[in-house]
Amino acid sequence: MSMQQSPLRTTARRATDSASSEGRQPAEPAEPTGPAETAAPVPSAAKRRALTLLTVLPPAVVALYRCLDGIGSRQLWRDEHASWWAATLDFEDLRALLGTIDAVIAPYYLLLRLWITGFGDSAASMRTPSALAMALAAAVTAALGRRLAVRSGVSRTGLAASLTGLGAGLAFALLPAVARYGQEARPYAFSVLAVVVSTLLLLRALEQPSASRWAWYAASVTLVGAAHLVSLLVLAAHLLAALTLALRDRDRAAFWYWALAALAGVGGIATLLLRGNGQSKQIAWNNPTLDDLTGLPRELFGSWSTAAVVLGLAVIGLWPARRHAGLLVCWIVLPPVLTYVTVDRLHLFLERYLLFTLAPCVLLAAAGAGWLLSPLGRAAVGRVVAGLLGTALLGGIAFLAQPAMATLGDNPKSEPDYRGTADLLAAQTKPGDGMVINSQLNARRALAYELRDRQAPTDILLQYYPEDLGRFQGVECTDPSECARFTDRLWLVSTAVGPNPLAQLPKATQDVLNQQFKVVDTKQLHDVKLVLLERTQPAPGEE
């Protein structure tokens, strides 16, 4: 597959040929706008590598530290329990599950399965891949910021461009959502990483087209869709970048190369797209309002104050980064808008699905901060002051993010305390004890995880196991008296609202527990009751 030369080289060659045909000398290249400066010496390969490391390593280290800090302190929540359940099924059962639900997350489940095989299934272990992905995303964001600074003319020197990229990467690493979803056993961190990598590869392919560069970009598009289908909306921004180059430099081939690579990349996850469309009803519960759309910045940035600082600088950055402003603005705006206007059909508007829009926000913010501080960089003292002010800006973001960061180790308020419930059950369960679960919040799966390596009572009402049905939910027996026949002590785990822990249970089950058992002890935990019952009457037919 042959590729055209770089648009810049093509344009320069056309200008030279035109001037020669008219008997004129070729025009000299235009001087850069702005104050006249001595051209910066081209750094050596060793210095370029050092600058690259100094640009990408600090954001990666900061992001990794913030993600790993207390990574196992918070109990898993219901979606993470689903990740554990799916990743620990054998391949046949997993295939049956994906045939009915969560097919779009199959790549993540397979990755987590491999990870658990090597590193175990503790909360900290299962969340570590997400922490690593977020650290890499911070590094790539820094590299992307450096490239955009050079290509947009935001920074005049390699060092200044590296500082702009460093600022973007550090700002990204300091956002509470980066640590929050870097501590979650779900695919959202991988979505962020795939999108920033794909965008970086796109810019490389547009600037210096070659078959290998477009092939890498096509592969990255496949990874974007494999991480999360919503992330494919970034292709709208990529389309604009290719169209802009085609129109600005009259390089129509750039658009067609992009279209071919994007089509090939999407084709790589065609099966996921088809399965996902067929299973879209599983998130039909998600019906956001206009308040959810207008409140999205607060959810993404952790607070309105953090959002105001980053987005305010991003607006300023539109001018110095104007060469790539269309790409970045579409990356920020289109995914939330498109998911919101299609929510009645697809139900995809959720802040965690849109985490990948944080990167362009900090990229523009870094460009804005660099532009504001650039007048100070013409003298040694000014450069010191600019460095201090840039550090202060990052410190301000960290300070504003601190309240949200302080709550990362807390269990979600909407989640019952299953970890505490499991601790009590493991300590007090006796051989032969049974368990009845009264919950519509996936308590059975949560307790299966928390009690996986400990003594646990028998789930006496569970007749058909979820893995046998290719589902996340099992089926309970229709004759609770028969199922409880050989059990003298029962533990009732109830998330029912109100004073009656039996509420929401089928009437037949309530009758058996009320008539054949008595309450011996009740313990109240956060949003869950643990009730010990002992038999007072023998089961029918036992007398």
Side-chain angles (χ1 to χ4, degrees):
M1 180 178 179
S2 61
M3 291 290 169
Q4 293 187 353
Q5 296 182 23
S6 166
L8 294 177
R9 294 179 180 175
T10 303
T11 304
R13 186 182 64 191
R14 288 173 181 168
T16 301
D17 293 344
S18 176
S20 299
S21 66
E22 297 176 10
R24 297 183 281 106
Q25 292 295 323
E28 293 295 326
E31 293 293 329
T33 58
E37 293 185 0
T38 303
V42 178
S44 65
K47 288 184 178 180
R48 288 198 300 271
R49 286 193 294 268
L51 277 177
T52 299
L53 289 176
L54 289 174
T55 302
V56 303
L57 278 182
V61 171
V62 172
L64 186 61
Y65 171 78
R66 288 167 76 85
C67 290
L68 291 179
D69 185 27
I71 193 170
S73 59
R74 186 180 71 249
Q75 73 171 16
L76 300 187
W77 74 292
R78 68 193 72 167
D79 282 10
E80 291 182 291
H81 289 133
S83 294
W84 167 78
W85 177 265
T88 53
L89 293 174
D90 62 42
F91 283 112
E92 287 300 319
D93 290 337
L94 178 59
R95 186 172 64 176
L97 176 70
L98 297 177
T100 60
I101 193 171
D102 271 0
V104 296
I105 313 179
Y108 175 75
Y109 287 158
L110 292 173
L111 173 65
L112 186 60
R113 178 187 176 87
L114 292 175
W115 182 270
I116 289 174
T117 299
F119 300 99
D121 62 355
S122 69
S125 175
M126 290 194 296
R127 290 167 174 164
T128 297
S130 294
L132 295 173
M134 277 301 192
L136 289 174
V140 177
T141 299
L144 190 54
R146 180 187 179 192
R147 176 172 288 269
L148 291 175
V150 171
R151 300 299 185 266
S152 300
V154 174
S155 304
R156 298 179 183 277
T157 66
L159 177 60
S162 293
L163 290 175
T164 300
L166 176 64
L170 288 174
F172 176 85
L174 292 171
L175 295 177
V178 170
R180 167 66 182 83
Y181 290 98
Q183 294 185 354
E184 180 152 319
R186 296 296 282 175
Y188 312 122
F190 291 92
S191 165
V192 176
L193 174 60
V195 168
V196 292
V197 167
S198 183
T199 304
L200 181 59
L201 292 174
L202 170 71
L203 294 179
R204 284 169 50 85
L206 290 174
E207 290 163 6
Q208 293 184 325
S210 69
S212 62
R213 290 193 173 196
W214 282 117
W216 278 111
Y217 172 70
S220 74
V221 171
T222 299
L223 291 178
V224 169
H228 203 278
L229 292 183
V230 175
S231 307
L232 287 173
L233 291 175
V234 77
L235 292 182
H238 290 185
L239 167 62
L240 181 63
L243 280 175
T244 300
L245 180 63
L247 295 174
R248 185 182 63 219
D249 297 335
R250 297 182 181 179
D251 184 14
R252 288 178 295 178
F255 168 75
W256 291 112
Y257 288 143
W258 172 83
L260 181 61
L263 185 61
V266 173
I269 41 94
T271 301
L272 290 184
L273 286 169
L274 294 174
R275 289 281 186 91
N277 183 62
Q279 297 177 2
S280 60
K281 291 182 179 180
Q282 72 180 73
I283 51 173
W285 53 266
N286 180 38
N287 294 295
T289 64
L290 184 59
D291 288 341
D292 295 308
L293 178 63
T294 57
L296 181 63
R298 180 190 66 241
E299 297 300 321
L300 286 176
F301 289 95
S303 67
W304 279 117
S305 55
T306 307
V309 171
V310 175
L311 295 179
L313 287 171
V315 171
I316 296 172
L318 290 173
W319 171 250
R322 57 192 176 277
R323 180 180 177 87
H324 295 289
L327 165 68
L328 297 174
V329 170
C330 285
W331 185 354
I332 295 169
V333 174
L334 285 182
V337 171
L338 291 176
T339 52
Y340 183 78
V341 299
T342 59
V343 73
D344 289 339
R345 163 74 177 161
L346 300 176
H347 310 283
L348 294 174
F349 183 87
L350 281 170
E351 79 280 354
R352 55 184 179 269
Y353 293 178
L354 299 168
L355 286 176
F356 64 91
T357 61
L358 287 173
C361 295
V362 297
L363 289 169
L364 279 174
W371 184 75
L372 290 174
L373 297 175
S374 60
L376 299 174
R378 298 192 178 106
V381 174
R383 287 193 288 271
V384 173
V385 174
L388 292 175
L389 290 175
T391 302
L393 274 174
L394 291 171
I397 293 174
F399 175 78
L400 294 174
Q402 188 54 37
M405 290 294 298
T407 63
L408 286 186
D410 299 341
N411 290 332
K413 293 182 179 179
S414 60
E415 289 288 305
D417 185 7
Y418 292 125
R419 180 179 286 180
T421 302
D423 290 340
L424 290 173
L425 283 172
Q428 300 183 30
T429 294
K430 297 179 180 180
D433 282 5
M435 177 171 61
V436 171
I437 295 175
N438 179 22
S439 175
Q440 299 177 356
L441 296 174
N442 302 309
R444 179 169 279 119
R445 192 164 60 240
L447 290 173
Y449 172 76
E450 297 293 348
L451 292 167
R452 65 197 183 284
D453 297 322
R454 298 189 282 182
Q455 177 177 252
T458 302
D459 191 347
I460 62 169
L461 296 185
L462 184 60
Q463 184 171 4
Y464 297 104
Y465 289 87
E467 57 266 38
D468 296 330
L469 303 173
R471 294 163 47 184
F472 280 121
Q473 305 291 345
V475 174
E476 295 189 347
C477 68
T478 56
D479 186 354
S481 180
E482 179 64 25
C483 292
R485 174 185 294 273
F486 303 108
T487 305
D488 293 329
R489 284 194 0 145
L490 271 178
W491 294 95
L492 171 66
V493 179
S494 175
T495 60
V497 177
N500 182 10
L502 301 181
Q504 300 177 357
L505 281 173
K507 186 177 184 303
T509 304
Q510 291 191 43
D511 290 342
V512 169
L513 297 182
N514 281 324
Q515 296 169 10
Q516 300 181 24
F517 294 85
K518 67 175 180 179
V519 174
V520 175
D521 188 27
T522 300
K523 288 183 171 59
Q524 177 69 59
L525 293 85
H526 175 68
D527 282 352
V528 60
K529 291 185 179 73
L530 181 61
V531 182
L532 175 61
L533 301 100
E534 291 185 353
R535 181 176 291 279
T536 58
Q537 294 184 9
E542 290 294 307
E543 295 182 287

